[in-house]
Amino acid sequence: MTQLARLISLLTLLKSKRLLTASELAKKYEVSIRTIYRDIRKLEDAGVPVYSIEGKGYSMVDNYTVAPVQFSEKQANALITAQHIVNQSEDASFVTDFNEALTKIKSVFKTSIQEKSELLSDKIYVLNWQFEEFTSDALSEIQLAITNFNYVEINYQKPNDKEISFRKIEPCAMYSSNNKWILIAWCHLRKDLRAFRIDRIQHFRILPEKFEDRKFNIQTYFASCPFETK
């Protein structure tokens, strides 16, 4: 069991108003008593009102509850997207701390939002992230369309082309390259998969109608297709 999982379990036990000794806890989690002392200090440092009764054990202040935190699906998706970006960092400690923090945050997601966030995580791929200005304003809405299988209508302008074309698409996945988000979608105009730079979408509309899941796999796509936008 990881330290994070042990701390969450320990907090749950203490909230049950049981009086727990360090020896009991050490035996339950198969760690040393010194480790339990450190865990209790971590909970105290985090503001959890744990108190000890000499010779009897640990308990928690009556009526203490963890404040409920509600995340919208967009907010959850933003965190999942950030995780993919952070994971490109060359600083291992930064990556580890962020992922541990996100694990704690995900523990309070509603089940339905957690399922959608896991689905989105499998549909994002980040390449060569660079911290530069990013001007598109459709990412969050399109992420919702991906995980809820909604058709999207877009007005799209190709690179080096003044013409703007209308497309009805089925958004499948996305990836990032050179600080630009690329949407992979089934295009009803071309009757095939196409890649669209999100910052080149001039206008979009999420439709209430849903499309059938094509079981698109982004790793398979990268193995067989060049990284280019249409």
Side-chain angles (χ1 to χ4, degrees), residues 5 7 36 87 107 184 226:
L7 287 173
I36 295 299
N87 283 342
S107 69
I184 306 169

Side-chain angles (χ1 to χ4, degrees), residues 51-223:
Y51 68 91
S52 61
I53 301 177
E54 188 173 355
K56 292 186 177 180
Y58 297 101
S59 189
M60 190 179 294
V61 173
D62 287 344
N63 301 320
Y64 172 77
T65 58
V66 178
V69 180
Q70 298 295 329
F71 289 88
S72 69
E73 188 176 344
K74 284 184 181 180
Q75 292 168 339
N77 286 346
L79 289 168
I80 295 301
T81 303
Q83 182 182 34
H84 282 262
I85 296 170
V86 168
N87 283 342
Q88 301 301 307
S89 172
E90 294 182 359
D91 188 309
S93 63
F94 176 57
V95 173
T96 298
D97 287 341
F98 182 90
N99 284 300
E100 288 181 352
L102 185 58
T103 297
K104 296 178 182 179
I105 293 170
K106 287 169 68 176
S107 69
V108 301
F109 283 178
K110 291 181 180 178
T111 301
S112 59
I113 291 180
Q114 189 172 37
E115 291 174 350
K116 292 292 182 61
S117 69
E118 290 173 356
L119 175 61
L120 180 65
S121 185
D122 291 335
K123 294 178 178 291
I124 291 180
Y125 197 87
V126 177
L127 298 171
N128 304 322
W129 181 264
Q130 297 175 4
F131 291 93
E132 299 175 354
E133 185 178 0
F134 184 63
T135 59
S136 69
D137 192 29
L139 188 62
S140 292
E141 297 293 339
I142 289 176
Q143 286 178 334
L144 290 179
I146 289 174
T147 59
N148 289 284
F149 304 100
N150 291 103
Y151 287 105
V152 181
E153 292 178 343
I154 63 173
N155 291 329
Y156 188 74
Q157 185 176 20
K158 295 180 180 179
N160 304 317
D161 190 345
K162 294 182 179 180
E163 296 296 323
I164 296 177
S165 63
F166 172 80
R167 311 287 184 98
K168 182 178 181 180
I169 61 174
E170 300 174 16
C172 298
M174 60 177 56
Y175 67 92
S176 177
S177 179
N178 297 321
N179 199 37
K180 299 299 180 183
W181 281 103
I182 313 299
L183 171 66
I184 306 169
W186 179 269
C187 177
H188 283 252
L189 177 65
R190 301 304 183 193
K191 306 297 182 185
D192 200 359
L193 286 171
R194 288 292 187 268
F196 302 94
R197 265 180 53 174
I198 290 181
D199 62 325
R200 291 191 172 276
I201 295 176
Q202 303 298 311
H203 176 75
F204 71 94
R205 184 163 73 98
I206 310 297
L207 303 180
E209 294 84 8
K210 296 183 182 293
F211 58 87
E212 186 177 349
D213 185 5
R214 294 178 181 271
K215 306 300 181 182
F216 176 85
N217 184 283
I218 196 168
Q219 283 75 27
T220 302
Y221 174 82
F222 281 154

